Amino acid sequence: MGGFGKSWRRIDHRMFFDEYFDKGNKPMIGCHWEFISPSLKFYFPVQELTDITKFLVNLHTRIKNWVRQTQGQKLSPQGANWREAWHPNKVQVWGRIAEDEFDSRAVDWFHGNYSGSRTIKQSDLTGKMGKIGRIWHRMYPRYIVVEGRIKRVPQEYIELLTIFPDSSEKTQDFLGFLAQSTEFEKLWGGG
């Protein structure tokens, strides 16, 4: 769920905003995730969105066990929520299944309103020039298991929002919006 460089936190804007680059004065934003054949062993099948929840819970448990076994008493196996970015009290993951690579519900929320006049554009949540935001938005190709083999679901993508919430009014309002009025399901975390 990570990436490299500044653009990995957003989806490829060229796919959604043709006019964004008309004047040639805007920086590239985002990247488009695709997988190549040699990486098959790293594919993660998502039959249902809850598979992502199971993966994250399992990963968190395995990391805590690793800490307990390899670090002994040096580190707490419960984690220290003040230093662990992926502690379930510090991050939320929301997701939905998109019908194709252009079926993003969230991309417009970063550039305009998400409900009525409510906006997250250039907030602490989304970031702005010189300030990294607290939300990642990505779309990954969807794979499922069919007859014991991992197969790509033609056109479908998993749209994910990874949010490191703060107590600001904009962030809390947006989380309330996600919980009540969108297709996104909360897959991980509290906070």
Side-chain angles (χ1 to χ4, degrees):
M1 299 180 96
F4 303 99
K6 293 180 181 179
S7 288
W8 65 267
R9 294 184 306 267
R10 298 284 186 263
I11 60 176
D12 188 345
H13 279 46
R14 292 176 298 185
M15 298 175 69
F16 297 91
F17 301 110
D18 292 338
E19 70 283 358
Y20 189 78
F21 297 102
D22 281 349
K23 296 179 184 174
N25 63 350
K26 297 279 188 177
M28 173 60 195
I29 296 176
C31 56
H32 183 65
W33 293 89
E34 290 290 340
F35 303 112
I36 57 176
S37 298
S39 64
L40 178 63
K41 64 184 175 185
F42 301 114
Y43 291 9
F44 179 73
V46 178
Q47 304 291 116
E48 304 291 331
L49 286 174
T50 54
D51 292 336
I52 296 169
T53 303
K54 292 174 192 169
F55 169 79
L56 291 170
V57 167
N58 183 44
L59 178 64
H60 198 252
T61 300
R62 292 175 74 182
I63 295 294
K64 286 193 312 187
N65 289 339
W66 175 82
V67 166
R68 186 178 299 120
Q69 292 169 6
T70 61
Q71 301 298 321
Q73 297 301 314
K74 295 179 187 174
L75 297 174
S76 166
Q78 283 72 41
N81 63 10
W82 56 267
R83 70 169 178 233
E84 183 182 348
W86 271 89
H87 191 281
N89 293 336
K90 298 290 183 183
V91 66
Q92 295 181 15
V93 177
W94 294 75
R96 64 179 283 274
I97 296 174
E99 294 179 11
D100 62 49
E101 63 188 347
F102 301 106
D103 178 29
S104 168
R105 294 292 183 264
V107 70
D108 290 327
W109 300 340
F110 292 88
H111 299 275
N113 299 340
Y114 62 87
S115 176
S117 63
R118 297 186 296 183
T119 182
I120 54 174
K121 184 178 179 178
Q122 295 189 338
S123 67
D124 285 346
L125 182 61
T126 57
K128 47 192 156 193
M129 291 302 285
K131 183 153 174 95
I132 295 173
R134 303 173 68 85
I135 185 171
W136 304 341
H137 176 224
R138 305 214 203 76
M139 293 179 72
Y140 296 105
R142 182 175 181 214
Y143 288 83
I144 61 172
V145 175
V146 178
E147 298 176 1
R149 297 180 58 114
I150 295 178
K151 301 218 178 214
R152 170 87 162 87
V153 178
Q155 303 299 315
E156 286 189 5
Y157 279 70
I158 304 298
E159 184 172 20
L160 294 178
L161 293 171
T162 304
I163 302 169
F164 298 88
D166 61 10
S167 59
S168 72
E169 185 178 337
K170 278 200 184 272
T171 298
Q172 294 306 310
D173 188 59
F174 183 69
L175 291 174
F177 165 75
L178 282 177
Q180 295 177 4
S181 42
T182 71
E183 298 174 39
F184 282 86
E185 294 178 35
K186 187 176 184 181
L187 305 174
W188 168 257

